[in-house]
């Protein structure tokens, strides 16, 4: 099946302000986030992308703008299911303030039991994101073949939950995963299992360019030789 490149949006004004943005409108990239987005086309140079799928939120669309400018004609689709977690009444509040909420300990230690007041549960968040990925994998493969590569631009908790699913980890362990702003995480899906190729990568991505002779579904014992 397809290879999925997950890009977390660049650093936002909410990130620097220490605010839990959620679906709050008008949250843009800050100066550093804009620079991170500008560097993305060069980092992905040579990686053939069949399509781009994005969270509808502004910070994701701004992150993708330089890449889409560099690749005119690349299909782009908006997908609400990979939008940020619906934090409900917590949206727009300072993270320092939320640290004293009893629910925060549940979010950190037992996220599968966490549901945000006026929002959604973390289980529901993961379920919708995983469903979206499964459907887009099938759609991209049907249109472009099993070696196709496509990109999703999303959010930290969404990407972490997708990585946990790919690794067969319980959601209660997903807080052990970390992805920086504008980092790249890549998962190759096959008929038998996903393989995590990159996690929170902020450097060179040449190893994501498909090889002339694609590998099979077997894991490479010893770790493999890496990019040619």
């Amino acid at each position: 099946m397809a290879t999925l490149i997950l890009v977390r949006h660049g650093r936002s004004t909410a990130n620097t302000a220490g605010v839990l943005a959620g679906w709050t409108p008008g949250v843009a990239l800050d100066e550093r986030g804009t620079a991170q987005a500008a560097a993305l086309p060069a980092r992905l140079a040579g990686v053939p992308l069949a399509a781009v799928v994005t969270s509808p939120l502004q910070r994701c669309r701004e992150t993708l703008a330089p890449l889409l400018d560099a690749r005119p004609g690349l299909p782009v689709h908006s997908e609400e299911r990979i939008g940020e977690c619906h934090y409900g009444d917590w949206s727009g509040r300072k993270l320092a303030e939320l640290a004293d909420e009893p629910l925060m300990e549940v979010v950190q230690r037992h996220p599968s039991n966490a549901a945000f007041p006026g929002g959604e549960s973390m289980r529901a968040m993961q379920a919708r994101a995983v469903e979206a990925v499964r459907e887009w994998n099938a759609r991209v493969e049907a249109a472009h073949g099993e070696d196709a590569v496509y990109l999703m631009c999303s959010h930290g908790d969404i990407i972490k939950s997708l990585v946990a699913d790919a690794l067969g980890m319980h959601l209660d362990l997903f807080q052990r995963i970390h992805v920086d702003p504008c980092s790249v995480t890549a998962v190759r899906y096959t008929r038998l299992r996903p393989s995590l190729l990159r996690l929170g990568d902020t450097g060179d991505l040449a190893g994501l360019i498909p090889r002339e002779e694609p590998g099979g579904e077997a894991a490479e014992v010893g770790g493999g030789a890496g990019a040619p």
Side-chain angles (χ1 to χ4, degrees):
M1 296 178 69
T3 296
L4 170 60
I5 295 176
L6 291 158
V7 176
R8 185 184 171 196
H9 62 78
R11 196 175 75 175
S12 72
T13 54
N15 294 145
T16 48
V19 169
L20 188 64
W23 284 72
T24 305
V27 177
L29 299 184
D30 69 3
E31 184 177 355
R32 181 175 177 181
T34 300
Q36 290 170 334
L40 193 59
R43 293 175 61 207
L44 288 167
V47 180
L49 296 176
V52 166
V53 183
T54 182
S55 157
L57 293 172
Q58 178 180 339
R59 51 198 184 273
C60 288
R61 291 186 283 107
E62 290 181 352
T63 298
L64 289 176
L67 178 64
L68 296 175
D69 287 345
R71 300 197 190 195
L74 180 62
V76 57
H77 309 271
S78 183
E79 174 58 80
E80 287 203 4
R81 290 175 296 177
I82 62 166
E84 182 62 284
C85 185
H86 291 278
Y87 296 115
D89 297 345
W90 280 25
S91 299
R93 293 178 62 186
K94 290 275 190 178
L95 288 165
E97 171 190 322
L98 292 169
D100 295 329
E101 294 279 355
L103 178 60
M104 183 59 85
E105 185 175 11
V106 182
V107 170
Q108 294 295 323
R109 297 178 180 270
H110 190 19
S112 67
N113 196 42
F116 296 98
E120 70 180 333
S121 70
M122 301 198 87
R123 284 182 289 107
M125 174 200 74
Q126 183 186 45
R128 63 174 165 86
V130 169
E131 179 185 56
V133 165
R134 295 292 190 270
E135 290 183 11
W136 278 101
N137 283 348
R139 182 172 174 177
V140 169
E141 182 180 2
H144 302 281
E146 62 182 11
D147 294 324
V149 181
Y150 74 108
L151 183 149
M152 281 186 169
C153 187
S154 188
H155 307 266
D157 280 349
I158 295 288
I159 293 172
K160 287 163 57 178
S161 72
L162 289 169
V163 170
D165 173 76
L167 294 177
M169 292 171 55
H170 196 283
L171 184 61
D172 284 344
L173 302 178
F174 102 128
Q175 298 291 21
R176 302 182 184 193
I177 300 166
H178 179 79
V179 290
D180 280 327
C182 219
S183 64
V184 167
T185 295
V187 182
R188 178 172 293 135
Y189 289 86
T190 73
R191 183 176 60 88
L192 299 180
R193 60 170 175 264
S195 297
L196 183 65
L197 307 180
R198 291 286 191 281
L199 176 61
D201 196 323
T202 57
D204 179 68
L205 300 170
L208 295 177
I209 299 173
R211 303 179 188 182
E212 292 184 8
E213 297 181 1
E217 295 185 1
E220 293 181 276
V221 178

